[in-house]
Amino acid sequence: MPAGTLYRGREGMWSWVAHRVTGVLIFFFLFVHVLDTALVRVSPEAYDEVVATYKTPIVALLEYGLVAAILFHALNGLRVIAVDFWSKGPRYQKQMLWTVVGVWVVLMAGSLYPVLGHAARELFGS
């Protein structure tokens, strides 16, 4: 297959962009996570304050976004591997992308309550 076959078409371009964006977002989350965890050695009180902010509904939404980024990045990564290593991969890349999107939507729907349930109870009561 000629170079650029993996990202041919509009869907391929957006999957390429989404894969890079989610990778960067995950990297920044890991960077912040290492910093806030290191805070426990510097100031346990400051660490406790930071952890307390993580229990807010706004942070719960950010956590849901993190779940979305990780799931899409992982599923799309498997698709990229299939396109690269399966001889028929380039031929079925579009179908695999829509399969990834479908599985992602189902998993995101399934993670809605576990991730955002606490925030909903805090905002609307139990």
Side-chain angles (χ1 to χ4, degrees):
M1 287 274 143
T5 302
L6 178 61
Y7 301 111
R8 184 173 290 159
R10 191 173 14 170
E11 296 90 357
M13 178 191 68
W14 285 113
S15 72
W16 182 88
V17 169
H19 198 73
R20 270 60 185 178
V21 168
T22 56
V24 169
L25 291 173
I26 294 165
F27 170 79
F28 281 118
F29 162 76
L30 290 173
F31 181 73
V32 169
H33 180 62
V34 168
L35 288 179
D36 69 13
T37 304
L39 195 60
V40 78
R41 289 184 158 262
V42 177
S43 171
E45 297 82 19
Y47 174 79
D48 290 340
E49 288 177 28
V50 168
V51 169
T53 64
Y54 291 164
K55 296 176 182 173
T56 64
I58 292 172
V59 174
L61 284 174
L62 293 173
E63 286 177 344
Y64 192 67
L66 177 64
V67 170
I70 291 170
L71 279 175
F72 180 80
H73 194 80
L75 293 169
N76 193 53
L78 293 173
R79 182 189 71 86
V80 169
I81 290 169
V83 170
D84 285 346
F85 292 105
W86 181 35
S87 62
K88 295 180 182 179
R91 185 177 313 141
Y92 296 108
Q93 66 167 328
K94 193 172 187 177
Q95 293 89 335
M96 287 189 291
L97 175 61
W98 288 111
T99 301
V100 162
V101 169
V103 170
W104 179 80
V105 167
V106 168
L107 291 174
M108 288 305 297
S111 68
L112 191 63
Y113 181 76
V115 177
L116 294 177
H118 171 72
R121 285 188 300 277
E122 188 173 317
L123 287 173
F124 305 112
S126 3

